[in-house]
Amino acid sequence: MQLTKENLLAFYQTMVTIRTFETKAAELFAAGKLPGFVHLYIGEEAVATGVCANLTAKDYITSTHRGHGHLIAKGGNVDLMMAELYGKATGYCKGKGGSMHIADVDLGILGANGIVGAGQPIAVGAAFACKYKQSGAIAACFFGDGASNRGTFHEAMNLASIWKLPVVFVCENNMYGISNCQRDHMNICDISDRAAAYGVPGVTVDGNDVVAVYEAAAEAAKRARSGDGPSLIECKTWRWRGHFEGDPATYKNPEEQKTWIGKDPIPRLAQKIVELGHAADADLAAIADAVKARVAAAVAFAENSPDPLPADVLTDVYA
Amino acid sequence: MKKMTYAEAIRDGIRVEMNRDGNVYLCGEDVGKFGGCFGVTAGLVGEFPGRVLDTPITETAIIGSAVGAAAAGLRPVAEIMFIDFTGVCMDELFNQAVKMRYMFGGKAKIPLVLKTICGGGVAAAAQHSQCMEAWFAHIPGLKTVMPATPADAKGLMAAAVRDDNPVIYIEHKQLLGLSGDVPEGEYVVPLGKADIKRAGTDVTIVAWSWMVHRALAAAEALAKDGISAEVLDPRTLVPLDKAAILASIAKTHKLVIVHEAVKTGGFGGEIAAVAAEEGFDLLDAPVKRVTAPDTPVPFSPVLEKAFLPDEGKIIQAVKELF
């Protein structure tokens, strides 16, 4: 599959947007401006970007507690996201969801999710709706290595398999479930092996290579759209930050951390773009600057937004 | 009107709604070819090809997938074979289905019916006999429906399917064969509207599901002793028709609550609290609760009989108020 200059530059812009948004979120959290918990996706940007590049606004995704990257890659609005992180009335969820629950149902984003593994059966249901309505849309389900140990994973994979549903399971193996290293929470090396138990194709790819993720997801999405059922893609990647902001992550091996930071997906893509002659360093710097301005505008939007009214505590419980 | 059983009425309710709205589908363990564990959904699989789906034994995926399908525009009726099995899918219900709308700032609708069955009396023991409605009534965002008659069973199923929120629709094993007049065609009983199953002037007995019938039998016996009991069936615990309960207490000035679920933390406590908070001046006597004792449901028919509230216990509780 030949990716065009436009494809690669779009990937770059998405990945830089995720990185910039989250770097800013980390700063704002440290400054005491963001309430609650913030779980960052820094280092894992290639996964959301490569997968969502195969999706349209009609397709569905379910996300995780580490969901900012998925939202941005699926086309989420950074103003509304940032306002939600601040708990403002203008946020995606009017200040009722926060970082862990941001959703944009109109864009098929069925929510970040505070419960590990909860999105898997929900994605299966969305995929069922796509098949039932013959809409041609599909669902992609993001989850982590830790979630692949949950019962939801097994039930969702099995049901999607027997009903041949158009769903792409995307395991973001960042090697850690909070403090628990993959070595200590499963006795297999590749989570994609688990697909075989359900008669589903499973592949492992370099999750820090956006092109590799894109290609695997393209094949899985094609399979889903053509009625051949689900696939499992394991993307091996690394969570640069602690589990949540404020977690010093002393449980991580510093050498491993150093090695993985050396595999940063963003400079890797930049190098490829430059080598292919699609852009010069200065062009990429200009993209990064524009993104920075966009995120600064999102922060200003959030800061200038009103708080929710106390009376709003009672709205939106029932339709 | 047509005579049908409670089970036939539920099936008719589902059938009418499936005919009315192509987005309604039914899924669950054995709901298709087998016709449901108690035969409630028998035959629907042939009437609605591709819309009645047998699932594996996979409670988490049944409800989780129904949540996703509802968020994506369908209207699932998802069966969990026994209410006792809902423990396996509680996250999908109480963290996902009911919170999506609120957590998303009102941007999602989850029109999901969780259809299940409760209750004792068939020596099914502790894991197949419970009445867990208080669990569900305690969850904001969820509506809790417990029909006691065939007509209510049909009309409340229609209302549950048409509601844009998650609804738990709880049938009762003892009522499946109960026969009664049921309106034909489209028939809706609104959620949140109680029904006076028997009018009376001396005491209000609030009861739901199977216990409505035990309360009615008790009321007949009490009438012979000169006590006129009103039997009020809230039909839905959430939304609760508080106004109807308070209006009945205003007439009778005495309240007895009967439920099959165990006492501590049961929904009877909620109704007693409503009476105390909003109807204290209407009451001439303490509120009484007739419930199962705080134990798991026993197996032996002798023990189960001792466990379940019955006419005798209801009559005794009422007489203690006079």
Side-chain angles (χ1 to χ4, degrees):
Chain A
M1 174 180 334
Q2 194 57 49
L3 285 161
T4 65
K5 171 183 168 181
E6 286 68 33
N7 291 142
L8 295 176
L9 288 173
F11 293 173
Y12 185 78
Q13 174 161 0
T14 301
M15 287 164 66
V16 171
T17 303
I18 298 168
R19 177 73 55 92
T20 308
F21 181 92
E22 294 215 302
T23 304
K24 179 53 79 177
E27 256 175 65
L28 294 167
F29 184 84
K33 292 192 173 183
L34 304 183
F37 304 131
V38 174
H39 306 81
L40 298 183
Y41 192 65
I42 293 175
E44 306 179 38
E45 296 90 345
V47 182
T49 303
V51 172
C52 290
N54 289 287
L55 305 178
T56 74
K58 277 174 62 187
D59 296 321
Y60 292 95
I61 64 165
T62 59
S63 173
T64 69
H65 57 284
R66 203 175 300 289
H68 306 155
H70 309 133
L71 270 107
I72 290 171
K74 188 72 172 42
N77 177 310
V78 290
D79 287 345
L80 307 188
M81 286 177 63
M82 192 59 86
E84 191 56 37
L85 263 54
Y86 273 81
K88 295 297 185 85
T90 54
Y92 256 124
C93 313
K94 302 185 203 161
K96 286 176 175 156
S99 166
M100 268 194 287
H101 307 110
I102 305 180
D104 186 339
V105 178
D106 296 335
L107 268 178
I109 302 168
L110 300 181
N113 207 309
I115 307 293
V116 170
Q120 297 160 349
I122 295 174
V124 167
F128 173 75
C130 296
K131 184 170 178 174
Y132 186 95
K133 292 178 174 180
Q134 300 179 314
S135 68
I138 65 172
C141 169
F142 294 98
F143 58 97
D145 43 310
S148 78
N149 291 330
R150 276 214 55 212
T152 47
F153 169 78
H154 302 282
E155 294 198 18
M157 288 283 288
N158 188 55
L159 194 64
S161 173
I162 60 167
W163 285 359
K164 270 201 166 181
L165 298 179
V167 54
V168 180
F169 292 96
V170 182
C171 180
E172 304 178 312
N173 184 356
N174 67 20
M175 315 279 174
Y176 279 88
I178 306 186
S179 65
N180 204 355
C181 182
Q182 187 198 343
R183 291 183 286 270
D184 298 324
H185 71 71
M186 61 180 70
N187 269 336
I188 55 173
C189 196
D190 292 333
I191 292 168
S192 62
D193 288 353
R194 291 186 165 169
Y198 306 99
V200 166
V203 294
T204 293
V205 298
D206 178 350
N208 279 21
D209 177 352
V210 68
V211 174
V213 174
Y214 175 86
E215 287 173 349
E219 196 177 325
K222 188 175 157 205
R223 184 177 147 79
R225 288 190 208 282
S226 58
D228 292 335
S231 310
L232 171 63
I233 303 169
E234 176 193 17
C235 303
K236 289 205 197 283
T237 182
W238 186 257
R239 185 188 84 211
W240 284 21
R241 309 286 295 179
H243 171 64
F244 53 86
E245 285 310 281
D247 166 13
T250 48
Y251 45 82
K252 276 198 200 166
N253 178 324
E255 280 306 308
E256 266 187 318
Q257 172 87 350
K258 206 173 141 201
T259 306
W260 275 96
I261 286 176
K263 300 186 205 172
D264 186 341
I266 295 177
R268 278 175 73 182
L269 176 62
Q271 193 184 344
K272 186 186 285 275
I273 289 170
V274 172
E275 278 171 9
L276 288 169
H278 290 332
D281 287 337
D283 302 321
L284 297 180
I287 290 174
D289 285 346
V291 165
K292 214 169 166 185
R294 182 72 193 87
V295 170
V299 173
F301 172 80
E303 294 203 337
N304 293 325
S305 287
D307 286 322
L309 298 172
D312 289 338
V313 72
L314 290 172
T315 59
D316 304 321
V317 180
Y318 293 101
Chain B
M1 289 285 180
K2 191 178 171 189
K3 271 264 189 269
M4 51 178 97
T5 65
Y6 182 90
E8 287 164 347
I10 296 167
R11 186 188 313 140
D12 196 42
I14 296 170
R15 176 190 292 122
V16 170
E17 293 310 304
M18 288 185 79
N19 275 323
R20 201 184 58 82
D21 184 347
N23 286 325
V24 180
Y25 72 95
L26 173 68
C27 69
E29 293 157 13
D30 304 305
V31 297
K33 292 186 291 292
F34 194 71
C37 186
F38 295 97
V40 172
T41 54
L44 292 176
V45 70
E47 293 177 52
F48 300 100
R51 295 172 63 192
V52 177
L53 296 129
D54 282 317
T55 66
I57 296 171
T58 195
E59 286 81 6
T60 297
I62 292 168
I63 300 304
S65 67
V67 171
L74 300 185
R75 303 186 86 88
V77 178
E79 178 169 297
I80 297 297
M81 194 181 276
F82 288 80
I83 200 167
D84 314 74
F85 306 168
T86 57
V88 184
C89 56
M90 278 302 260
D91 179 67
E92 282 60 42
L93 191 70
F94 75 39
N95 275 320
Q96 310 300 330
V98 302
K99 290 180 184 166
M100 281 173 91
R101 179 175 181 78
Y102 192 78
M103 291 195 312
F104 298 177
K107 300 269 179 56
K109 272 195 317 197
I110 309 294
L112 154 67
V113 180
L114 191 171
K115 171 185 177 303
T116 188
I117 198 159
C118 76
V122 295
Q127 293 172 345
H128 290 74
S129 302
Q130 295 171 94
C131 287
M132 306 302 304
E133 65 268 20
W135 271 18
F136 300 98
H138 192 61
I139 303 171
L142 181 66
K143 297 186 179 179
T144 305
V145 174
M146 299 190 78
T149 66
D152 286 352
K154 175 173 173 176
L156 289 167
M157 176 55 81
V161 171
R162 295 181 191 194
D163 200 280
D164 281 338
N165 299 284
V167 176
I168 181 165
Y169 177 99
I170 307 171
E171 302 156 21
H172 196 294
K173 297 179 197 78
Q174 291 293 327
L175 299 176
L176 292 170
L178 180 77
S179 197
D181 284 333
V182 178
E184 292 180 78
E186 284 192 32
Y187 175 60
V188 182
V189 171
L191 306 183
K193 195 161 178 341
D195 186 40
I196 306 284
K197 291 284 195 277
R198 182 187 199 281
T201 53
D202 297 333
V203 59
T204 298
I205 303 176
V206 175
W208 51 91
S209 194
W210 183 30
M211 288 300 123
V212 168
H213 302 278
R214 291 208 150 171
L216 286 169
E220 285 304 311
L222 286 163
K224 294 190 183 106
D225 291 335
I227 297 172
S228 165
E230 176 147 300
V231 177
L232 184 147
D233 174 7
R235 302 194 284 196
T236 65
L237 303 185
V238 179
L240 180 66
D241 191 347
K242 288 189 202 176
I245 294 169
L246 292 166
S248 181
I249 303 171
K251 190 164 64 164
T252 64
H253 307 292
K254 292 185 178 65
L255 175 61
V256 173
I257 303 152
V258 184
H259 62 63
E260 186 182 337
V262 303
K263 189 170 212 171
T264 302
F267 198 75
E270 180 62 29
I271 292 176
V274 167
E277 280 182 345
E278 300 179 39
F280 188 75
D281 294 337
L282 303 173
L283 289 165
D284 285 347
V287 174
K288 288 269 183 192
R289 283 182 286 167
V290 181
T291 72
D294 290 333
T295 70
V297 185
F299 166 65
S300 156
V302 173
L303 293 175
E304 193 181 27
K305 189 171 185 308
F307 172 89
L308 291 167
D310 60 16
E311 286 163 53
K313 290 170 193 164
I314 300 167
I315 290 165
Q316 188 191 335
V318 169
K319 287 194 169 170
E320 284 170 11
L321 297 178
F322 288 90

